[in-house]
Amino acid sequence: MKLTLHTAPEVPLEAEVIGPTSLNGLTEAEVSALTVHHGNRKEALGEFFTVTGKMNGRLELEGDLSFVKLLGKGMSGGQMIIDGNVSGHLGVGMSGGRIVVNGNAQDWVGEDMKGGSIIIKGNAGHMVGCVVRGAEVGMQGGEIIVHGNCKNEAGGGLRRGLIAIGGNSGDFTGLNMLAGSIFVLGEMGIRTGAGMKRGSIVSMKPAQMLPTFSYSCTYQPIFLRFYLNYLRELGLVIDDAWLTGSYQRWCGDSIELNKGEILLYHS
Amino acid sequence: MSSTLRIVNGKVYDPANDIDGQVRDVCILDGKIVDSVPEDAPTIDAHGMVVMPGGVDIHCHIAGSKVNLARKFQPEDHRYDPHPGTEYTRSGSGGVVPSTFATGYRYATMGYTTAMEAAVPPLSARHVLEELEDTPIIDKGYYVLMGNNSMLHQLLEKGRMEEFREAVAWWVKATKAYTIKLVNPGADEMWKGKKNANITALDQKIHAFDLTPRKVIKALIDVANDLGLPHPAHIHCNNLGHSGNYETTLETMRTAEGRRVHITHIQFHSYGGEVGKNPVSAARAISDFVNDNPNISADVGQVMFGKSVSMTADAPLAWMLRHVKERKWINADTECESGCGIIPFEYQQHVYTHTLQWAIGLELFLMAKDPWRMVLSTDHPNGGSFLNYPRLIRLLMDRDFRNQEATRVNQKAIGKTSLPDLTREYSMQEIAIVTRAGPARLLGLKNKGHLGVGADADITIYDEMDNKEEMFNAARFVIKDGHLFIKNHEFCADHSGRIFHIAPEYDKSIENEIRSFFDDYYSVQFDNYPVSDTHVHNTEVIANIPVT
Amino acid sequence: MTETMILVPMRTTKQGTTLNAGKLKDAYKETTSTAEIKQEDMDRLGLKKGDRVRLRVGTHAVVVSCIPRKIKVTDNSSGLIFMPYGPTTSALMVDGDTAGTGMPASKHLVVEIEGPLAPEEDDG
Amino acid sequence: MDKNTATEKNTTIIKNATCTFCGCVCDDMELTVDLDEKCIIKSKNACVLGKAWFSEHSVDESRPVALIDGKEASLEDAIEEAAQILVNARFPIIYGLSDTTSEAQRQAVAMADYLSANIDSTSSVCHGPTGMGLQGVGEPTTTLGEVKNRADMVVYWGCNPTDCHPRLSTHFTVMPKGMYIPNGRKDRTVINVDIRSTSTTNIADLFVQLKPGSDYELLSALRSISRGRRLNPSIEEQTGVPMATIEDVAHRLMSCNYGILFFGMGLTMTRGRHYNTGALHLLAADLNEHTHFVVKPARGHGNVTGADTVMSWQTGYPFGVNFNRGYPRHEPGEFTTTDILVRGEADAACIIASDPIANFARPAIEHLKKIPVISFDPKPTPTSQIARVALTTACYGINVPGTVYRMDDIPIPLRPAFESPFPSDLDILKPLTERIRELKAH
């Protein structure tokens, strides 16, 4: 099935009904009649999107969706391919399936994510796969791959799963992380791993470490090869030198358990 | 404008008037229960339903500065439980500490029409009153914290008992409170002044004062009785949550020397064992004492499994819980008056202590000989949300359900209690006592908790069902002050409810002394402290009881 | 001459009192368009008290007057410009990104300072 | 109130009046009011800011009560126009609220609820990140009287109360004698942490100057020492503070009897924002393992704390609240006003007692100028100048009674000095809300 934006929303459009799981089994007419929230008004999905084709587990979206929030909420399977930019809360609470965005996404990609994968070909906003405000436990499984850059707080409170950023990340990458893995192939902002208890953050560029992190050694971690080869398969550009290179290992945050690690490519 | 209503064909449970399930009419005129109404009055056919007075919660934390801090710092709790508005009602957010509107509507949905906020420092009286005004449908009031008041401590250590009594009366009146509340008396001075220490015994010296908790407790129990407050001193004993604390609880009850006193969330104060080690149940000892002493009343403070928030004026308690698991924590000191601690918590079935607490609460219910004096509470949200009441009622009424639940919990803990041997099942009438008639009588609210002529027409009508949790979860009809506002489970009107307070008389000359204390030690002006009569609307003064 | 410095908008007593008098009045406009710069920075830039300077962030610029900071306690804050909050500092808050907080990074603006300006040079 | 009022010719004296200029909300003002001229001629006990607040809020009766598109209009017409604007909007926003009574704030939230609008206070560009820090880690805190009575350690971090809250030190925290502070200032240690020296530095025993933007690092270092953990020597380079100084400060904080950390925009408005404030809250929490320690944001506007308080009890959330879906949701960065405007989402705005046109980031101002704006303010401001509907209001505390919440959450009553011919915010919000409900019902 394909949804093509024919009328741009004037104010934010909350369209959590749009996702391969929630549209499964519905006809074009039924999908067009679904309710979306245009600011404080309820309107029919068909007021904004042209719906074509049958739902067979694969949903395509086309258009500038930079005012459209909550796409793919709670999806548990299937595929959603988006040609265009999207607004916030993409794939919130998803437990399975795959979202590909050929464009940029705004804040809160993969909030409360439990499984499945999200691939952003462009850039992502703040709080990629980050724990919601006030809670301790963030993303609990799945993968988020951002080919471009992301902003602050990527992987905050991460419990399980993989977040990979092809470009740069902002401040507080892996903040209060509990476990899991974060890869940033470009540069990270400041205060990486602040408050982290366990887990691994890997970057290919030098980074400023907080004073509560301490240098432990430089070594060649074998497990990184598997990860990096996997990221290469997903389409991220991986330098061969990274596969066999040495990495500085920093551990912290010493205010917490001091069992987290940050690996920085050295040579 | 007169409004009439007749409820027919329902099974009426009105323990205060010895009506136990008889089918009879209930008539309403202008917000009150009356003998009869004209033949053509509108009727509600309650066939197959149970008619009871509206529920009365004697102890919960639903409004005021600490409740609001607990709301403010838990967005993660509200976000998954929004409370949409309707044509008639405001929206809000739920979770363990709901917004004021959601609190009122959710209580009402369960058939509760009165609830008392249990602990507010006098300095934030205006705040709690404003929140209570924004808590719809239900009637409400609040208890003012007096057990750690520096000025009162000073009067007491000098033995100036008359001035002490006048000062207490001034404070209660100035803050429009409903009664005197004590929380871990004497502990705040240790907490704030002695680097986070705590009180551990009734005869321990309170830091910086020539005074002991026992003297504070005795004096405030006496003042409440001497002033004839409709509800006596409401006491959260020392040593809450500590193994072996039941002895402190017994000592506190003995301190009353036969005078009226209410011990709140007594479950949390019924632990045997040694300090610092695992607790065991001391429900039998506590229950025996309460059973034998008619001057004592209590609410249980049942623990229910799941999410809770420890939210208390007992700051050292929250600090202790922070060491159980390091998580976000609030402490809030109020000058010269109180402490406060807040910490999110979760009671888990597999944990020894949590199971033990759950079982002790049930033991206390099932061992109580006089349900009028051992009433229902979860110390919302400390033992669990008030939304757990229907489930708690089922645990009390349905032995099979209780036994089945007991198989899911920590068996080592259950083995140390007498719960498996307690076969009692609460009757519908006893439920009406512990959720309505009992708390209303303990509060001295003569027009609440019963359906006799002259009572407030606060009435709940439930579908009679085998599953008591489902039955008490959502009343089919709820009537408040004679107005129907829940009809077939849906809101059909809104209502603002009243704020109850007391206004004891006092000798005006005490004001000079308090004023001078304020000038030295408070950060607000004495003249700006008392709450004016126009500050909130819909207030009602409840008269003192004659002192004999 | 031109140099990159950090502009820190702040509050002052004068900003507070003139705000009460009215935001459309000259006293408020004047105090919220006066940059305080450390004497050594002013010397290096060739600035005198009351000189006009241009502060630029990207394509946006404002012209303000400058005065030396009064410092009683030893202070190593060279490279910093302090100016009371107001429409002038807001005009240099070009980046509205709040990093998921609602709060733009308004106390740490990297600006290009140019001056002293000739009297006839105006805004922009 | 009568007993506090003594009449003498055309003047009256109001005792125990409350100043609502800043978050100190001092309630010991003695105001001399000229009833003919409708102005306050003397304000005893007020600080320099309070004196300006009282003296500059005389009433200009020549001003119109309302302007629609810059033309004089009646209050009724202005309310009708405002109701139409708000009801017709799909994403109306309500913003401001820090300089009005809690009664008006309660009504504003009700209006937002009925409108399914977005509501936010100036907290979001003030101590909003402090609220977020609280949501993340909690907060050990106190009322100001306990600071007066007990605090032997007062830290001012990234704030300058001597300029911004002049009576904070003199009336509440540093100078006064208290129950366990018999000698006042002499019994206290004052530490000032900032990127620059200020007038507050002059009253401090110790000044710790750090590099701009390194607060989080310095806070982490102090927490690390407090917990007995290892600290990387890079801290000196990162913060510009010598290790010996850091250790000295940590030791002093750990060994006091009752300590308090006051902080301001130096933490909330710089990189790190809510994690700066969170780290500061955690430092205070950690110090409770050694002694009693509390924190307090030095809050700005007279009732900005009330805005947080009221919004929390009515919605569960302190600021940045959205009712579009018929119930409150909270997401800083999404439902906070700057973000909504920067992304160009709002299609109408109701600004109550604040001035975003003067204070917001440039792209936010640009969008605000494109949409219909309703403004409430006692004085003309840059925002009222661009408003479609500009309402002139009476000033809270000076003309309007009610309750305000001090920076430490204490509710304080207002004793107005004289009557204004203009309506209060509440006087307008009530009929506006009623009219909105009528229009929505159809």
Side-chain angles (χ1 to χ4, degrees):
Chain A
M1 181 172 274
K2 184 166 182 177
L3 271 58
T4 310
L5 189 75
H6 61 71
T7 303
E10 290 168 22
V11 298
L13 190 71
E14 298 193 358
E16 66 269 25
V17 290
I18 298 179
T21 311
S22 43
L23 299 188
N24 222 359
L26 301 185
T27 64
E28 287 178 5
E30 286 167 335
V31 170
S32 294
L34 289 172
T35 299
V36 290
H37 296 264
H38 188 213
N40 59 15
R41 310 286 209 277
K42 287 180 186 170
E43 289 179 49
L45 187 149
E47 297 288 315
F48 301 94
F49 290 94
T50 307
V51 184
T52 52
K54 276 200 168 141
M55 193 63 211
N56 56 359
R58 183 184 159 97
L59 179 67
E60 291 175 26
L61 293 173
E62 196 182 290
D64 179 10
L65 308 176
S66 53
F67 260 32
V68 185
K69 295 178 182 176
L70 294 160
L71 291 168
K73 180 179 179 180
M75 67 187 264
S76 57
Q79 290 202 53
M80 182 162 72
I81 314 296
I82 302 170
D83 284 320
N85 299 331
V86 299
S87 182
H89 304 282
L90 176 72
V92 50
M94 76 185 276
S95 58
R98 186 175 141 95
I99 299 174
V100 179
V101 180
N102 295 308
N104 302 326
Q106 293 179 25
D107 296 352
W108 293 109
V109 169
E111 163 195 340
D112 276 343
M113 188 168 176
K114 295 171 189 73
S117 67
I118 300 177
I119 294 164
I120 312 285
K121 292 287 177 63
N123 300 322
H126 296 287
M127 287 88 62
V128 170
C130 180
V131 61
V132 300
R133 299 304 178 200
E136 285 173 30
V137 180
M139 179 170 159
Q140 296 185 47
E143 297 170 358
I144 302 176
I145 314 296
V146 179
H147 286 242
N149 303 324
C150 73
K151 296 180 180 171
N152 292 1
E153 300 186 57
L158 181 66
R159 175 69 156 271
R160 202 176 293 121
L162 170 69
I163 294 173
I165 311 297
N168 303 328
S169 68
D171 297 348
F172 291 104
T173 303
L175 161 102
N176 294 338
M177 198 170 157
L178 302 169
S181 309
I182 299 175
F183 284 76
V184 180
L185 303 184
E187 288 187 7
M188 300 185 292
I190 55 175
R191 299 163 184 167
T192 298
M196 74 189 290
K197 291 196 168 71
R198 294 188 175 82
S200 304
I201 301 170
V202 185
S203 176
M204 301 306 151
K205 297 280 182 257
Q208 182 181 318
M209 290 292 104
L210 280 169
T212 50
F213 278 73
S214 52
Y215 170 72
S216 58
C217 62
T218 300
Y219 75 128
Q220 294 169 301
I222 306 226
F223 80 95
L224 277 190
R225 280 179 218 171
F226 298 100
Y227 268 106
L228 292 170
N229 277 320
Y230 178 64
L231 295 179
R232 181 180 273 172
E233 281 171 32
L234 290 174
L236 293 184
V237 180
I238 303 297
D239 188 330
D240 280 339
W242 299 344
L243 297 172
T244 53
S246 298
Y247 290 77
Q248 279 186 350
R249 183 176 189 275
W250 292 76
C251 55
D253 186 327
S254 70
I255 294 175
E256 299 296 335
L257 297 175
N258 208 36
K259 288 180 178 170
E261 64 174 2
I262 299 176
L263 301 172
L264 301 176
Y265 176 68
H266 186 62
S267 61
Chain B
M1 200 175 73
S2 74
S3 64
T4 59
L5 190 64
R6 183 202 309 274
I7 301 162
V8 299
N9 298 330
K11 276 193 203 171
V12 178
Y13 291 88
D14 181 10
N17 294 301
D18 286 327
I19 296 163
D20 185 3
Q22 288 107 305
V23 175
R24 65 194 330 260
D25 289 1
V26 177
C27 298
I28 299 163
L29 176 67
D30 293 342
K32 296 282 183 187
I33 308 280
V34 292
D35 266 333
S36 63
V37 287
E39 282 298 310
D40 60 350
T43 58
I44 289 176
D45 185 353
H47 180 76
M49 300 177 203
V50 161
V51 180
M52 284 188 183
V56 178
D57 197 336
I58 198 170
H59 185 106
C60 55
H61 300 276
I62 55 171
S65 48
K66 71 178 183 318
V67 176
N68 213 32
L69 276 171
R71 284 188 194 108
K72 214 185 267 188
F73 98 139
Q74 297 190 89
E76 75 283 10
D77 190 39
H78 305 308
R79 73 185 290 138
Y80 303 106
D81 185 20
H83 186 96
T86 69
E87 190 185 341
Y88 303 98
T89 58
R90 289 279 303 273
S91 74
S93 54
V96 185
V97 191
S99 66
T100 55
F101 293 104
T103 298
Y105 298 131
R106 287 178 177 198
Y107 259 111
T109 304
M110 292 193 315
Y112 269 70
T113 51
T114 304
M116 304 302 271
E117 157 60 45
V120 177
L123 195 49
S124 43
R126 276 185 190 81
H127 182 170
V128 72
L129 291 167
E130 289 183 5
E131 282 199 24
L132 290 176
E133 196 172 41
D134 276 351
T135 305
I137 312 276
I138 59 174
D139 290 337
K140 49 257 159 176
Y142 83 93
Y143 310 152
V144 69
L145 291 160
M146 295 267 99
N148 284 288
N149 184 304
S150 301
M151 163 97 195
L152 293 178
H153 278 8
Q154 280 191 5
L155 293 172
L156 210 50
E157 71 176 349
K158 291 176 193 139
R160 300 174 61 199
M161 303 312 288
E162 278 182 29
E163 290 86 348
F164 178 81
R165 187 186 65 221
E166 300 306 323
V168 170
W170 175 83
W171 240 297
V172 173
K173 188 169 185 181
T175 56
K176 296 205 176 335
Y178 193 76
T179 198
I180 297 165
K181 174 74 182 294
L182 288 78
V183 171
N184 196 2
D188 285 351
E189 196 54 50
M190 314 288 282
W191 172 249
K192 298 171 188 170
K194 221 171 165 225
K195 301 191 173 184
N196 300 353
N198 195 7
I199 284 279
T200 56
L202 283 197
D203 295 316
Q204 190 180 342
K205 182 183 171 306
I206 298 171
H207 177 62
F209 289 96
D210 181 15
L211 201 60
T212 63
R214 189 189 300 276
K215 284 185 184 166
V216 176
I217 293 164
K218 176 82 174 82
L220 286 166
I221 289 174
D222 284 345
V223 167
N225 280 283
D226 294 344
L227 291 172
L229 303 191
H231 181 57
H234 193 99
I235 302 185
H236 158 144
C237 300
N238 302 94
N239 280 329
L240 187 150
H242 291 277
S243 295
N245 67 5
Y246 80 103
E247 292 185 25
T248 307
T249 312
L250 291 174
E251 273 303 290
T252 305
M253 293 192 284
R254 286 188 192 111
T255 305
E257 293 175 357
R259 305 195 77 178
R260 286 180 79 208
V261 66
H262 184 88
I263 306 294
T264 190
H265 40 70
I266 199 164
Q267 176 277 129
F268 287 109
H269 305 272
S270 301
Y271 308 149
E274 285 175 52
V275 178
K277 296 190 176 165
N278 268 347
V280 295
S281 173
R284 174 55 69 191
I286 294 291
S287 194
D288 285 350
F289 191 94
V290 176
N291 285 339
D292 294 345
N293 289 277
N295 64 308
I296 309 283
S297 63
D299 60 272
V300 171
Q302 176 68 32
V303 154
M304 299 297 283
F305 296 111
K307 202 172 175 316
S308 76
V309 182
S310 175
M311 180 207 287
T312 172
D314 190 341
L317 169 69
W319 182 238
M320 178 185 84
L321 292 173
R322 179 174 158 85
H323 288 92
V324 175
K325 183 176 183 226
E326 191 177 300
R327 52 167 74 190
K328 59 183 178 182
W329 163 69
I330 283 177
N331 175 73
D333 300 338
T334 300
E335 64 210 56
C336 310
E337 293 180 352
S338 181
C340 165
I342 306 170
I343 200 156
F345 203 77
E346 187 175 3
Y347 291 101
Q348 296 171 297
Q349 289 171 316
H350 64 86
V351 176
Y352 173 91
T353 308
H354 301 175
T355 288
L356 194 85
Q357 292 176 298
W358 177 78
I360 291 172
L362 293 174
E363 284 182 299
L364 289 164
F365 273 114
L366 299 170
M367 290 174 178
K369 287 187 180 159
D370 182 1
W372 291 90
R373 293 189 292 113
M374 182 64 76
V375 300
L376 186 143
S377 75
T378 60
D379 187 14
H380 161 84
N382 287 279
S385 162
F386 63 81
L387 295 175
N388 283 300
Y389 292 174
R391 189 176 184 80
L392 174 53
I393 289 170
R394 187 177 180 199
L395 285 168
L396 298 176
M397 293 187 79
D398 183 343
R399 184 173 55 226
D400 292 342
F401 174 66
R402 189 164 71 225
N403 290 339
Q404 178 198 320
E405 289 295 293
T407 62
R408 299 159 181 256
V409 300
N410 184 302
Q411 293 304 304
K412 190 177 159 213
I414 278 290
K416 298 203 171 178
T417 73
S418 56
L419 189 64
D421 306 325
L422 295 168
T423 57
R424 179 175 175 186
E425 285 184 338
Y426 267 53
S427 66
M428 193 66 82
Q429 186 76 332
E430 284 175 316
I431 291 299
I433 294 170
V434 296
T435 59
R436 288 136 158 95
R441 183 176 290 179
L442 297 177
L443 286 166
L445 288 171
K446 294 192 172 62
N447 299 329
K448 298 288 178 196
H450 72 99
L451 300 176
V453 170
D456 290 343
D458 298 354
I459 303 170
T460 320
I461 305 175
Y462 299 102
D463 291 318
E464 190 162 22
M465 298 165 82
D466 286 338
N467 182 329
K468 300 299 185 274
E469 182 177 356
E470 285 180 24
M471 174 176 164
F472 283 97
N473 234 333
R476 178 171 285 277
F477 298 98
V478 181
I479 293 156
K480 177 80 188 59
D481 291 321
H483 298 288
L484 184 66
F485 62 87
I486 289 180
K487 185 177 176 182
N488 290 322
H489 304 298
E490 301 280 345
F491 280 95
C492 57
D494 204 351
H495 186 78
S496 62
R498 278 164 290 169
I499 297 172
F500 297 132
H501 66 98
I502 55 173
E505 289 307 311
Y506 62 91
D507 179 351
K508 292 269 184 284
S509 65
I510 194 68
E511 287 187 359
N512 289 334
E513 192 152 350
I514 303 174
R515 178 188 295 276
S516 120
F517 187 90
F518 266 65
D519 290 345
D520 289 342
Y521 303 129
Y522 270 80
S523 64
V524 298
Q525 295 300 107
F526 176 79
D527 287 315
N528 286 333
Y529 187 85
V531 181
S532 77
D533 288 338
T534 55
H535 182 69
V536 284
H537 309 96
N538 287 333
T539 55
E540 182 178 330
V541 177
I542 301 298
N544 289 359
I545 53 178
V547 183
T548 48
Chain C
M1 60 187 282
T2 303
E3 204 174 281
T4 299
M5 292 175 82
I6 295 169
L7 171 64
V8 182
M10 51 152 190
R11 300 215 181 270
T12 64
T13 307
K14 192 170 179 195
Q15 180 239 13
T17 53
T18 56
L19 180 154
N20 279 311
K23 285 185 168 180
L24 303 181
K25 295 191 175 163
D26 288 344
Y28 177 78
K29 287 180 181 169
E30 186 192 321
T31 191
T32 56
S33 300
T34 304
E36 296 180 26
I37 305 174
K38 209 170 184 195
Q39 186 67 56
E40 63 188 61
D41 291 337
M42 291 195 46
D43 293 346
R44 190 178 61 253
L45 289 159
L47 297 172
K48 295 190 302 295
K49 182 178 176 181
D51 277 353
R52 296 161 77 236
V53 293
R54 178 175 291 123
L55 305 179
R56 182 188 296 280
V57 177
T59 57
H60 299 285
V62 295
V63 173
V64 299
S65 63
C66 62
I67 54 169
R69 284 187 61 207
K70 287 181 199 148
I71 297 171
K72 282 193 188 164
V73 180
T74 318
D75 181 324
N76 325 311
S77 55
S78 37
L80 303 180
I81 304 169
F82 296 94
M83 191 155 75
Y85 275 103
T88 313
T89 57
S90 296
L92 293 172
M93 284 163 59
V94 173
D95 182 4
D97 184 9
T98 75
T101 67
M103 171 73 82
S106 41
K107 252 192 192 292
H108 194 107
L109 306 173
V110 178
V111 299
E112 210 170 75
I113 177 168
E114 180 193 349
L117 302 181
E120 67 276 10
E121 286 190 61
D122 59 9
D123 295 15
Chain D
M1 197 198 299
D2 293 350
K3 67 181 173 185
N4 295 310
T5 311
T7 309
E8 181 188 303
K9 288 182 185 173
N10 298 325
T11 65
T12 190
I13 290 177
I14 312 281
K15 289 186 180 169
N16 301 308
T18 296
C19 172
T20 52
F21 180 72
C22 85
C24 286
V25 190
C26 299
D27 68 337
D28 60 342
M29 301 291 114
E30 189 176 314
L31 305 177
T32 308
V33 186
D34 184 327
L35 294 169
D36 291 339
E37 295 298 317
K38 296 211 166 197
C39 63
I40 294 164
I41 46 185
K42 197 173 159 197
S43 45
K44 197 176 150 194
N45 293 341
C47 68
V48 57
L49 297 172
K51 281 189 170 28
W53 166 256
F54 287 116
S55 70
E56 299 288 355
H57 278 91
S58 53
V59 165
D60 177 1
E61 300 199 17
S62 67
R63 282 190 64 203
V65 65
L67 296 169
I68 300 177
D69 287 325
K71 297 188 193 75
E72 282 194 30
S74 71
L75 183 60
E76 293 68 30
D77 287 351
I79 287 173
E80 180 62 27
E81 178 71 11
Q84 295 287 349
I85 289 169
L86 292 170
V87 167
N88 288 326
R90 286 191 169 88
F91 199 117
I93 62 171
I94 299 168
Y95 174 77
L97 300 170
S98 52
D99 274 325
T100 190
T101 60
S102 66
E103 287 80 359
Q105 290 164 344
R106 286 158 73 185
Q107 188 65 36
V109 181
M111 186 170 92
D113 193 355
Y114 294 128
L115 266 177
S116 302
N118 197 96
I119 186 163
D120 187 27
S121 77
T122 62
S123 266
S124 71
V125 291
C126 171
H127 272 289
T130 304
M132 294 176 70
L134 170 86
Q135 291 172 342
V137 307
E139 164 194 57
T141 191
T142 184
T143 64
L144 293 176
E146 216 64 281
V147 181
K148 163 172 138 170
N149 286 331
R150 297 176 189 274
D152 58 347
M153 166 63 68
V154 177
V155 183
Y156 288 127
W157 191 309
C159 60
N160 178 16
T162 307
D163 266 73
C164 309
H165 300 86
R167 287 184 93 216
L168 185 65
S169 299
T170 57
H171 190 58
F172 296 104
T173 64
V174 174
M175 302 310 290
K177 292 174 183 174
M179 200 175 285
Y180 303 105
I181 304 289
N183 305 306
R185 176 67 184 91
K186 281 186 208 148
D187 291 339
R188 308 187 205 259
T189 301
V190 179
I191 300 178
N192 179 213
V193 184
D194 209 327
I195 60 165
R196 56 161 183 156
S197 62
T198 66
S199 49
T200 299
T201 313
N202 302 340
I203 63 159
D205 298 294
L206 179 65
F207 174 49
V208 179
Q209 187 177 24
L210 75 171
K211 288 183 182 171
S214 65
D215 301 83
Y216 185 88
E217 284 71 16
L218 185 57
L219 288 162
S220 296
L222 292 170
R223 286 190 68 199
S224 188
I225 295 170
S226 159
R227 291 193 163 209
R229 303 285 161 77
R230 258 196 313 183
L231 186 57
N232 195 314
S234 68
I235 186 67
E236 293 196 337
E237 167 59 24
Q238 290 190 36
T239 62
V241 184
M243 188 67 92
T245 306
I246 298 174
E247 283 173 354
D248 176 40
V249 170
H251 177 74
R252 291 186 195 219
L253 299 183
M254 290 178 337
S255 59
C256 72
N257 282 321
Y258 189 113
I260 180 152
L261 282 153
F262 282 99
F263 64 102
M265 304 287 100
L267 293 182
T268 65
M269 284 188 173
T270 55
R271 203 168 166 185
R273 302 175 181 87
H274 48 311
Y275 293 111
N276 294 339
T277 59
L280 185 114
H281 287 192
L282 284 169
L283 170 61
D286 287 354
L287 287 166
N288 276 282
E289 298 291 352
H290 304 278
T291 182
H292 194 87
F293 224 101
V294 293
V295 299
K296 189 88 259 165
R299 303 217 56 177
H301 295 284
N303 201 21
V304 66
T305 304
D308 285 17
T309 300
V310 166
M311 236 180 275
S312 294
W313 89 53
Q314 291 211 352
T315 75
Y317 308 111
F319 63 94
V321 177
N322 183 287
F323 286 99
N324 282 355
R325 299 289 288 267
Y327 50 81
R329 289 179 297 168
H330 162 73
E331 197 71 84
E334 183 174 5
F335 301 133
T336 33
T337 308
T338 294
D339 305 271
I340 289 169
L341 293 173
V342 167
R343 285 192 300 263
E345 294 172 344
D347 58 355
C350 180
I351 310 292
I352 301 167
S354 80
D355 187 16
I357 292 287
N359 299 316
F360 269 13
R362 196 162 190 142
I365 294 171
E366 280 162 12
H367 185 72
L368 200 53
K369 286 179 176 171
K370 290 180 196 156
I371 60 176
V373 170
I374 300 146
S375 77
F376 291 54
D377 211 293
K379 285 179 183 288
T381 66
T383 301
S384 72
Q385 285 189 312
I386 63 113
R388 168 85 62 83
V389 180
L391 292 146
T392 306
T393 55
C395 183
Y396 80 135
I398 290 177
N399 318 120
V400 179
T403 307
V404 300
Y405 286 77
R406 201 168 66 185
M407 64 166 76
D408 55 353
D409 290 340
I410 299 303
I412 310 265
L414 302 177
R415 296 176 189 274
F418 58 91
E419 279 193 16
S420 164
F422 299 110
S424 71
D425 296 319
L426 182 62
D427 292 337
I428 302 172
L429 284 167
K430 269 187 177 167
L432 179 57
T433 307
E434 279 314 304
R435 183 63 186 136
I436 285 165
R437 291 191 77 184
E438 278 172 27
L439 291 169
K440 292 283 268 194
H442 292 128

